[in-house]
Amino acid sequence: MPGIRQKFMKLMSIVVKPSKVEAVKSAISSVGVSGATILDARGFGSTKGHTDSYRGAQYQVDTNPKAMLQVACKDESVNDIVEAVRSVANTNTIGDGKIFISELLDVIRIRTGETGEGAINGEY
């Protein structure tokens, strides 16, 4: 099992409206992000959901579709990524999303066993 790296890395979970995924991908690529994991998600919060109807019956939809991009990055890249995401995902409306930033202890590339920052930005 690899030891914990001395250099700091972050895991950013970027939650945005599905319509903003392509813009966010382009924006984070432009600041040097070489890859991301993209997940379909549902969430609730300030937007509280809405009432919908199916075959004449009304029902409450209390979650909204979202997309989550997970990005592993160097500590010094965080501010650039945050600004890039905010510049394209901000519509000044409720439900624009959130960015969660966590410490990342290590990354291991399964194919090569490479660890740390090299496993984030190395050749595929």
Side-chain angles (χ1 to χ4, degrees), residues 9-115:
M9 298 175 291
K10 299 287 193 241
L11 178 63
M12 300 180 71
S13 297
I14 303 164
V15 180
V16 295
K17 294 177 180 180
S19 62
K20 295 293 183 177
V21 170
E22 291 304 317
V24 169
K25 280 175 38 183
S26 294
I28 64 176
S29 292
S30 74
V31 295
V33 172
S34 61
T37 301
I38 302 171
L39 307 163
D40 291 326
R42 299 196 57 79
F44 70 94
S46 302
T47 51
K48 304 291 185 220
H50 62 279
T51 301
D52 222 340
S53 144
Y54 178 72
R55 295 189 177 184
Q58 288 196 333
Y59 61 97
Q60 183 68 25
V61 178
D62 58 0
T63 59
N64 294 303
K66 298 289 180 188
M68 180 187 296
L69 293 87
Q70 289 193 311
V71 175
C73 65
K74 297 177 184 179
D75 194 43
E76 59 266 17
S77 300
V78 169
N79 289 337
D80 291 339
I81 295 169
V82 167
E83 289 308 312
V85 170
R86 290 198 68 234
S87 71
V88 297
N90 182 4
T91 65
N92 285 322
T93 59
I94 291 175
D96 277 347
K98 289 196 171 56
I99 302 170
F100 301 94
I101 303 167
S102 305
E103 293 289 333
L104 183 58
L105 297 179
D106 205 355
V107 178
I108 301 143
R109 185 182 308 271
I110 293 172
R111 179 177 54 85
T112 64
E114 187 174 14
T115 62

